[in-house]
Amino acid sequence: MEKDHSAYRQTDSFLGRLSQTVHSITAQICLTVMTCTITLEVIGRYFFNSGFTWSQELCGLAFFLLVFLCQSNTWQEDRHIRMDIFYNNFSPLFRRISNFLTILCGSIFYTAIAFEGISGLEYQFHINEGTMELEWPLWPFTSLMILSCLLTLALLARFTLKKLFGKQS
């Protein structure tokens, strides 16, 4: 049985295709890094009675990238978190209201994250703020977070404008 396509999918646009590509690449890389790191950690603990001090940090950074870089496609594919048992029983009007509130809250949330990231980015860069164990600079991760939030906001805005002013089928 084939799954219905999401109403939010925007593969007719550059942003929608970019979101899918970023999701695919990020998921493959981050899940591979996390799996290999955790496997090495388990082997190290089992055979040598000692793990690696950097493994949790690396997995945390990979998870951070996975969440933020995949968020726009997760929304686009209608796989965001909600209580489907209730949502599916809503009337069409209540679903539209729920979808509108989701877009509104998501827009506020991603705008706040992007704003905070932008306001702290220069400071992180100038003091060379980094991770504890790996001593990697944090500003590249913050930059990716900001870009991801901006991509998600662009997709939310495009979808909303298309619904408000586009042709209704």
Side-chain angles (χ1 to χ4, degrees), residues 162-169:
K162 196 173 176 182
K163 282 294 182 186
L164 289 175
F165 302 113
K167 292 181 183 177
Q168 300 296 325
S169 50

Side-chain angles (χ1 to χ4, degrees), residues 62-102:
F63 185 68
F64 170 82
L65 289 174
L66 184 68
V67 168
F68 272 97
L69 294 178
C70 293
Q71 69 188 355
S72 60
N73 195 59
T74 299
W75 176 80
Q76 181 175 249
E77 295 295 328
D78 197 23
R79 299 202 187 277
H80 53 86
I81 299 171
R82 68 169 174 241
M83 299 182 75
D84 282 340
I85 193 166
F86 297 117
Y87 181 83
N88 291 336
N89 291 318
F90 287 163
S91 68
L93 174 64
F94 202 76
R95 280 189 197 185
R96 283 200 312 270
I97 292 169
S98 174
N99 291 341
F100 169 76
L101 291 174
T102 299

Side-chain angles (χ1 to χ4, degrees), residues 92-144:
L93 174 64
F94 202 76
R95 280 189 197 185
R96 283 200 312 270
I97 292 169
S98 174
N99 291 341
F100 169 76
L101 291 174
T102 299
I103 290 170
L104 179 66
C105 291
S107 297
I108 293 168
F109 179 74
Y110 293 124
T111 300
I113 291 175
F115 179 77
E116 283 299 314
I118 290 168
S119 64
L121 187 62
E122 185 179 358
Y123 178 74
Q124 284 182 343
F125 183 77
H126 284 302
I127 68 163
N128 200 25
E129 186 176 9
T131 60
M132 297 285 253
E133 295 294 329
L134 296 170
E135 297 179 9
W136 290 352
L138 286 179
W139 67 265
F141 296 98
T142 303
S143 300
L144 288 172

